């Protein structure tokens, strides 16, 4: 059998394994963004390599290695596909120069693959497919000294890979919180499983039973940037080092890989046009792919909810709430919200989304909690368009919405619920700590861009660079009158509250303090007092 025929068989085995596991890997996908396409991207990358090899006439190992490297680069889809292309690149360069392919050669190829993968990522993160390829290289190097054949080596690599995937959940906080393993790592090991089957000449083993995902893995925050943008630049003397800083200004998840004649670019950005313009300034671009990750995240959630949830029993009235932040979402759901619409400050949902949530709720009537002043009008419009009775409780903050939801009773009509919920919301005093987006003066308080701004019932009461000082001022305002309960919702990237909590407990020994990880953007801390 020629090297070309052998390689075709290996790629077919890898592709078959990814075909079988694609949906499971897509569902696992929560990092770096929960767009639910890691399995699909790995599969499409492998398919592209297979199509190139089917049309190849390469007769020597070096030429075949070059074709394999370019095919992986040109076919790479998404973050995982681009990293996979560099794994292929490293392995192919080593194998292309080898006289024989034995266990020591495979070990060197995997080490080169791991080195290329780590080199491609500007800020390598452990608990991902990078970790797995590194551990596979380590396993191969250890086994190569035992003088075993390729078949036995691949069997050992699959075992090590499975173990490495399990441990990714412990290595990356976002995976630990979601209760899942890394999708890219799992996909890489499925690809390896296909290679092992091809090497042994056996069928793929039966897959392990697939269990439903935990709820926290289904509900994930939208990515900071909206568009996954990828393209290939072709030309002469292409300079990846010069291009990377310019692209980095546009977003994150940046990968620029390839050589002086062809570069593959991958970036998450809100301005795909600017990224493409940088590419055209350097050479000709092709294979342009732009995906709306926010839409992909929403579709992933809808798909997983349909697959995992039992039909909800219908009640008389359902609560629909507009919420931002994964932790806040869990809070609202735990208090009885039947439907959540993603939205909040700077991200107001349209009437159509609110109406769809009301219509999907398992009840003949509904109450809607807009939880933001800018959403109230759209909520009222949705209520007018709804087929059944819908009442809007005009909550202007997440804190007021939570207080209102405590008074919700699914067995009461919407009008009765709304009256009690409005009264509960009015009884809570609210405050927040925001980050100023520009220099301003509010209510006689001067704040500079990037500083913390403390608000009490919508009025500025403190500002400055020290989070704890501003948060303390807001808390003091809320506790100026006797209170029984202070609720704190920490936001995205919020500083630790240890010092603030200790001080509050010392100064208010009879006060109950309830802290939750809300996850809301723009507001490091939301406070409410009752």
């Amino acid at each position: 059998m020629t090297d070309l025929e052998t390689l075709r068989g290996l790629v077919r085995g890898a592709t078959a394994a990814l075909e079988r596991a694609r949906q499971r890997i897509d569902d696992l996908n929560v990092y770096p963004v929960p767009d639910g396409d890691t399995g699909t991207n790995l599969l499409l990358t492998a398919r592209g390599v297979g199509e190139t090899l089917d049309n190849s006439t390469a007769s020597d190992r070096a030429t075949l290695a070059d074709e394999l490297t370019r095919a992986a680069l040109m076919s790479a889809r998404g973050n995982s596909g681009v990293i996979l292309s560099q794994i292929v690149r490293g392995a192919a360069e080593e194998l292309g120069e080898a006289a024989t392919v034995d266990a020591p050669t495979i070990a060197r190829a995997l080490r080169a693959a791991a080195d290329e993968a780590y080199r491609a990522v500007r800020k390598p993160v452990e608990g991902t497919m990078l970790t797995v390829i590194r551990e596979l290289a380590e396993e191969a190097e250890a086994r190569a000294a035992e003088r075993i054949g390729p078949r036995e080596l691949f069997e050992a690599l699959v075992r090590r890979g499975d173990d490495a995937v399990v441990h990714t959940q412990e290595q990356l906080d976002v995976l630990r919180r979601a209760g899942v393993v890394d999708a890219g790592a799992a996909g890489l090991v499925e690809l390896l499983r296909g290679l092992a089957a091809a090497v042994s000449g056996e069928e793929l083993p039966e897959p392990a039973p697939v269990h439903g995902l935990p709820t926290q893995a289904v509900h994930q925050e939208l990515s900071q940037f909206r568009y996954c943008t990828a393209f290939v630049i072709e030309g002469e003397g292409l300079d990846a080092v010069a291009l990377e800083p310019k692209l980095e200004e546009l977003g994150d998840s940046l990968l620029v890989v390839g050589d002086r004649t062809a570069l593959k670019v991958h970036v998450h950005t809100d301005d795909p046009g600017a990224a493409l313009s940088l590419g055209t300034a350097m050479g000709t671009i092709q294979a342009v792919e732009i995906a709306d990750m926010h839409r992909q995240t929403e579709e992933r959630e809808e798909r997983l909810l349909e697959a995992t949830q039992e039909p909800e029993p219908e009640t008389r009235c359902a609560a629909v709430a507009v919420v931002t932040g994964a932790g806040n979402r869990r809070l609202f759901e735990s208090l009885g919200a039947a439907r959540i619409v993603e939205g909040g400050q700077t991200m107001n949902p349209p009437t159509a989304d609110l109406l769809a949530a009301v219509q999907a709720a398992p009840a003949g009537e509904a109450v809607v909690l807009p939880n933001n002043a800018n959403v109230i009008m759209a909520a009222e419009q949705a209520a007018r368009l709804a087929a059944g009775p819908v009442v809007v409780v005009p909550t202007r903050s997440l804190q007021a919405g939570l207080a209102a939801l405590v008074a919700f009773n699914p067995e009461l009509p919407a009008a009765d619920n709304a009256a009690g919920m409005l009264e509960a919301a009015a009884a809570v005093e609210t405050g927040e700590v925001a980050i100023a987006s520009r220099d301003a003066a509010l209510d006689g308080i001067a704040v500079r861009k990037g500083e913390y701004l403390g608000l009490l019932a919508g009025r500025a009461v403190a500002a400055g660079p020290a989070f704890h000082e501003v948060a303390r001022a807001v808390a003091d305002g809320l506790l100026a009158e006797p209170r029984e309960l202070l609720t704190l919702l920490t936001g995205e990237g919020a500083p630790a509250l240890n010092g603030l909590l200790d001080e509050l407990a010392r100064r208010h020994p009879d006060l109950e303090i309830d802290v939750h990880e809300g996850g809301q953007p723009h507001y490091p801390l939301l406070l409410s007092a009752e």
Side-chain angles (χ1 to χ4, degrees):
M1 184 179 293
T2 67
D3 287 339
L4 177 58
E5 291 169 335
T6 299
L7 187 55
R8 285 171 176 165
L10 290 169
V11 173
R12 289 191 190 108
T15 304
L18 289 171
E19 289 266 12
R20 189 179 68 177
R22 178 191 62 81
Q23 188 66 69
R24 176 176 66 86
I25 297 166
D26 279 350
D27 292 348
L28 287 172
N29 182 195
V30 300
Y31 180 84
V33 294
D35 47 359
D37 64 356
T38 294
T40 298
N41 287 337
L42 289 171
L43 173 59
L44 292 175
T45 303
R47 280 182 183 169
V49 171
E51 290 168 4
T52 297
L53 293 178
D54 287 341
N55 295 317
S56 174
T57 58
S59 58
D60 64 274
R61 193 166 290 174
T63 302
L64 193 54
D66 288 343
E67 289 189 2
L68 179 62
T69 297
R70 185 171 179 82
L73 181 72
M74 301 298 284
S75 303
R77 295 283 292 267
N79 193 68
S80 56
V82 175
I83 294 174
L84 176 60
S85 77
Q86 297 311 286
I87 291 173
V88 170
R89 179 190 188 92
E93 288 179 352
E94 185 66 37
L95 294 170
E97 298 175 354
T100 58
V101 180
D102 54 12
T105 303
I106 295 170
R108 291 194 300 272
L110 285 172
R111 175 54 63 192
D115 290 345
E116 283 291 341
Y118 272 88
R119 204 159 24 239
V121 180
R122 292 175 68 84
K123 298 176 182 178
V125 174
E126 297 301 328
T128 64
M129 61 194 300
L130 294 178
T131 305
V132 172
I133 190 61
R134 174 177 53 76
E135 292 199 24
L136 292 177
E138 293 169 357
E139 181 73 13
E141 288 165 346
R143 294 282 182 169
E146 301 175 8
R147 299 182 181 278
I148 60 176
R151 176 172 178 166
E152 293 78 11
L153 176 59
F154 272 95
E155 290 173 353
L157 290 174
V158 170
R159 289 193 296 271
R160 177 66 176 265
D162 282 337
D163 184 64
V165 168
V166 170
H167 286 94
T168 60
Q169 188 173 332
E170 305 164 5
Q171 296 167 314
L172 200 54
D173 285 344
V174 66
L175 301 179
R176 183 164 50 247
R177 290 195 299 269
V180 296
V181 298
D182 182 63
L188 183 60
V189 174
E190 288 306 319
L191 184 153
L192 177 67
R193 207 182 312 278
L195 293 177
V199 168
S200 68
E202 298 177 355
E203 295 293 321
L204 278 167
E206 285 299 313
V210 177
H211 302 289
L213 295 179
T215 302
Q216 61 267 32
V218 175
H219 302 305
Q220 291 289 309
E221 283 292 288
L222 296 176
S223 57
Q224 178 181 357
F225 298 100
R226 182 156 195 148
Y227 299 104
C228 177
T229 305
F231 54 95
V232 173
I233 309 172
E234 292 192 303
E236 297 294 332
L238 301 179
D239 188 349
V241 174
L243 180 61
E244 283 181 342
K246 299 174 184 176
L247 287 165
E248 196 167 30
E249 294 177 1
L250 301 179
D252 61 15
S253 289
L254 174 63
L255 294 167
V256 181
V257 299
D259 54 36
R260 304 283 288 178
T261 63
L263 293 175
K264 182 82 175 191
V265 173
H266 171 277
V267 64
H268 293 171
T269 179
D270 287 331
D271 192 353
L276 295 175
S277 294
L278 290 172
T280 56
M282 181 172 281
T284 59
I285 64 172
Q286 60 172 296
V288 176
E289 296 167 355
I290 301 173
D292 184 341
M293 295 183 293
H294 288 188
R295 176 58 61 189
Q296 287 177 315
T297 298
E298 292 163 355
E299 290 172 350
R300 171 188 179 272
E301 182 170 313
E302 291 171 4
R303 182 181 74 248
L304 293 177
L305 285 173
E306 288 177 3
T308 59
Q309 287 189 340
E310 295 292 329
E312 298 171 270
E314 183 159 318
T315 57
R316 180 163 189 176
C317 183
V320 175
V322 178
V323 179
T324 183
N328 291 326
R329 179 177 190 131
R330 289 191 289 271
L331 278 174
F332 274 85
E333 288 175 335
S334 70
L335 290 173
R339 290 292 181 272
I340 301 295
V341 179
E342 184 76 25
Q345 194 68 21
T346 76
M347 192 174 65
N348 301 325
T351 297
D353 288 0
L354 293 163
L355 180 60
V358 167
Q359 292 174 333
E365 302 182 23
V367 289
V368 179
L369 297 167
N371 297 335
N372 188 287
N374 295 330
V375 182
I376 293 174
M377 186 177 296
E380 291 173 341
Q381 178 70 6
R384 287 192 290 271
L385 295 172
V390 176
V391 182
V392 175
V393 181
T395 50
R396 295 171 177 268
S397 67
L398 287 167
Q399 307 96 298
L402 286 169
L405 200 51
V406 171
F408 173 70
N409 184 339
E411 301 307 320
L412 293 178
D416 291 355
N417 263 313
M421 294 170 77
L422 188 60
E423 183 178 344
V428 69
E429 295 293 331
T430 65
E432 52 261 348
V433 177
I435 297 177
S437 59
R438 57 185 173 83
D439 292 354
L442 300 172
D443 303 313
I445 302 290
V447 61
R448 299 186 66 82
K449 181 180 179 180
E451 289 187 338
Y452 295 103
L453 174 65
L455 301 166
L456 186 63
R459 292 183 58 82
V461 294
F467 170 78
H468 285 90
E469 291 181 9
V470 175
R472 186 188 305 112
V474 177
D476 287 346
L478 288 173
L479 300 175
E481 298 179 15
R483 304 287 185 185
E484 296 179 357
L485 173 65
L486 179 69
T487 300
L488 307 176
L489 304 176
T490 61
E492 201 173 68
L497 299 182
N498 296 351
L500 177 64
L501 295 177
D502 291 343
E503 183 177 343
L504 289 172
R506 189 167 55 251
R507 293 168 56 194
H508 304 276
D510 296 328
L511 178 69
E512 180 182 349
I513 303 175
D514 199 5
V515 182
H516 298 278
E517 185 179 322
Q520 69 275 355
H522 310 301
Y523 292 88
L525 189 63
L526 298 177
L527 308 88
S528 63
E530 303 172 57

